[in-house]
């Protein structure tokens, strides 16, 4: 793990936790933290992080991980950082190279991503694509593998990336045990749009509408037809629709479908059958569930459910 001043602490800690947990469960991992000069660095939180070794003294390495920082998307990496990354990644010194979050900007500046697919934090994906046109940037991927190079999305996506590396090295059973120990998904659902519907919905100013949204979230399978919502909210259907459009940013039907889709995803992730997920989420039949999944996610419910058996992308 290569660290430097301003490095984001979670980008460092999350993969190290995965590899350390895998080692405790029998995986053949040992980890070391290196900095350009072997000295301590100050992380994004102000925490002092001590290195084990200078970059120049690192021998042949199985995996080099370069975490991100808030500065990398906005200004060129310092010369010392680029020199160290180029030295650590050059030739056959590192068998594979991985970046977490905006660490992709360091790999890109060192020329390690030219002609490859890559990803980074969704907020900075467009900047990466503009600055380095030789890279094919996937703004929604949680992580991308292209040859010996791996890149991941923002911050906690370093966990997803590290789990995938463990699966590559040691097999899916150990990766699954690590995920269970850390209480995380073996493969998280969807792309970088990981916020829940409730979390990304602005809080309505209207008290009655806020109450209705809570009811929908609490029981997606209940009767949330427009007449039923209007009756419970003491509003006319027209007024309620206007409130949704003004304060939620969608129609009642679109909002309810998004909540039910989220509920169905969670059920499938937990191992529920397609039929059970359709019924318990409020989407009704298998066919209704299939139509919503294909329209909103571009995959069938069965294909979505299969993603939780491995970190490998569904075919």
């Amino acid at each position: 793990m290569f660290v430097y001043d301003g490095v984001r602490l979670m980008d460092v800690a999350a993969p190290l936790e995965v590899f350390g947990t895998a080692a405790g469960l029998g995986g053949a991992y040992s980890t070391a933290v290196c900095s350009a000069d072997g000295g301590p660095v100050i992380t994004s939180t102000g925490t002092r992080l001590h290195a084990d070794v200078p970059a120049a003294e690192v021998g042949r390495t199985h995996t080099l991980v370069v975490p991100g920082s808030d500065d990398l998307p906005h200004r060129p990496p310092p010369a010392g950082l680029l020199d160290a990354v180029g030295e650590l990644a050059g030739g056959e010194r590192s068998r594979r190279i991985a970046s977490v979050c905006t660490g992709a900007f360091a790999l890109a500046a060192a020329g390690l991503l030219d002609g490859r697919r890559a990803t980074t934090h969704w907020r900075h994906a467009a900047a990466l694509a503009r600055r380095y046109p030789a890279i094919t940037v996937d703004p929604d991927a949680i992580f991308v593998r292209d040859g010996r190079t791996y890149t991941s999305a923002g911050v906690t996506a370093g966990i997803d990336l590290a789990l995938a590396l463990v699966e590559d090295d040691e097999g899916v059973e150990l990766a699954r045990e690590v995920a269970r120990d850390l209480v995380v998904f073996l493969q998280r659902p969807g792309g970088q749009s990981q916020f829940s519907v409730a979390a990304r919905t602005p809080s309505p100013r209207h008290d009655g509408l806020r109450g209705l949204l809570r009811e929908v979230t609490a029981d997606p399978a209940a009767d949330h037809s427009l007449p039923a919502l209007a009756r419970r909210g003491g509003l006319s259907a027209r007024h309620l629709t206007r409130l949704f459009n003004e304060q939620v940013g969608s129609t009642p039907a679109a909002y309810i479908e998004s909540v039910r889709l989220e509920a169905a995803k969670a059920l499938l992730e937990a191992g529920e059958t397609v039929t059970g997920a359709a019924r318990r989420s409020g989407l009704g039949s298998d066919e209704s569930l299939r139509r919503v999944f294909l329209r909103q996610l571009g995959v069938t419910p069965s294909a979505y459910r299969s993603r939780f058996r491995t970190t490998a992308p569904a075919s």
Side-chain angles (χ1 to χ4, degrees), residues 38-59:
V41 301
I42 304 300
T43 70
S44 58
T45 65
T47 303
R48 183 180 293 271
L49 188 64
H50 291 272
D52 301 308
V53 64
E57 296 181 16
V58 175

Side-chain angles (χ1 to χ4, degrees), residues 143 160 163 185-189 304 306-308 310-314:
F143 65 87
D160 303 72
L163 285 171
F185 288 118
L186 179 58
Q187 185 197 43
R188 80 168 78 190
Y304 185 89
S306 71
R307 291 180 177 182
F308 296 89
T310 173
T311 63

Side-chain angles (χ1 to χ4, degrees), residues 117-168:
R117 290 178 59 248
T119 192
T120 188
H121 191 294
W122 61 267
R123 193 185 300 277
H124 304 297
L128 183 67
R130 283 195 306 271
R131 192 181 302 176
Y132 302 101
I135 303 170
T136 301
V137 178
D138 185 338
D140 191 52
I142 297 298
F143 65 87
V144 169
R145 175 183 182 178
D146 192 327
R148 72 182 186 118
T149 304
Y150 295 71
T151 52
S152 79
V155 198
T156 59
I159 296 175
D160 303 72
L161 172 63
L163 285 171
L165 296 177
V166 170
E167 183 178 345
D168 283 353

Side-chain angles (χ1 to χ4, degrees), residues 74-315:
H74 305 295
R75 52 187 61 88
L81 188 157
L82 270 189
D83 290 344
V85 168
E87 185 178 327
L88 289 165
E92 297 182 355
R93 194 164 169 190
S94 295
R95 177 176 162 185
R96 66 186 176 194
I97 306 159
S99 68
V100 181
C101 194
T102 57
F105 283 82
L107 299 190
L112 297 168
L113 298 180
D114 288 353
R116 298 186 182 278
R117 290 178 59 248
T119 192
T120 188
H121 191 294
W122 61 267
R123 193 185 300 277
H124 304 297
L128 183 67
R130 283 195 306 271
R131 192 181 302 176
Y132 302 101
I135 303 170
T136 301
V137 178
D138 185 338
D140 191 52
I142 297 298
F143 65 87
V144 169
R145 175 183 182 178
D146 192 327
R148 72 182 186 118
T149 304
Y150 295 71
T151 52
S152 79
V155 198
T156 59
I159 296 175
D160 303 72
L161 172 63
L163 285 171
L165 296 177
V166 170
E167 183 178 345
D168 283 353
D169 297 334
E170 303 283 359
V172 69
E173 288 305 320
L174 181 61
R176 186 175 290 119
E177 283 302 308
V178 173
R180 287 195 189 111
D181 187 85
L182 298 180
V183 197
V184 295
F185 288 118
L186 179 58
Q187 185 197 43
R188 80 168 78 190
Q192 291 198 55
S193 303
Q194 293 301 310
F195 302 104
S196 69
V197 173
R200 66 174 182 259
T201 300
S203 179
R205 300 181 301 277
H206 191 279
D207 291 343
L209 182 55
R210 281 201 303 275
L212 289 174
L213 296 191
R214 285 195 295 270
E215 290 180 16
V216 172
T217 303
D219 187 5
D223 180 6
H224 299 308
S225 63
L226 183 58
L229 286 174
R231 185 172 58 254
R232 296 201 302 269
L235 303 165
S236 70
R238 179 176 294 181
H239 188 198
L240 179 60
T241 300
R242 185 163 58 249
L243 287 173
F244 260 87
N245 286 321
E246 292 173 353
Q247 299 187 24
V248 177
S250 74
T251 64
Y255 179 81
I256 292 159
E257 180 177 275
S258 66
V259 172
R260 287 174 170 168
L261 173 61
E262 186 173 81
K265 287 161 62 179
L267 289 163
L268 292 171
E269 293 157 18
E272 180 61 269
T273 64
V274 171
T275 300
R279 176 178 53 81
R280 293 176 60 189
S281 68
L283 286 171
S285 67
D286 293 17
E287 184 55 33
S288 296
L289 185 68
R290 179 183 173 85
R291 284 199 302 269
V292 172
F293 264 66
L294 287 173
R295 185 173 70 251
Q296 298 282 4
L297 304 176
V299 297
T300 65
S302 297
Y304 185 89
R305 185 173 183 267
S306 71
R307 291 180 177 182
F308 296 89
R309 298 171 186 163
T310 173
T311 63
S315 58

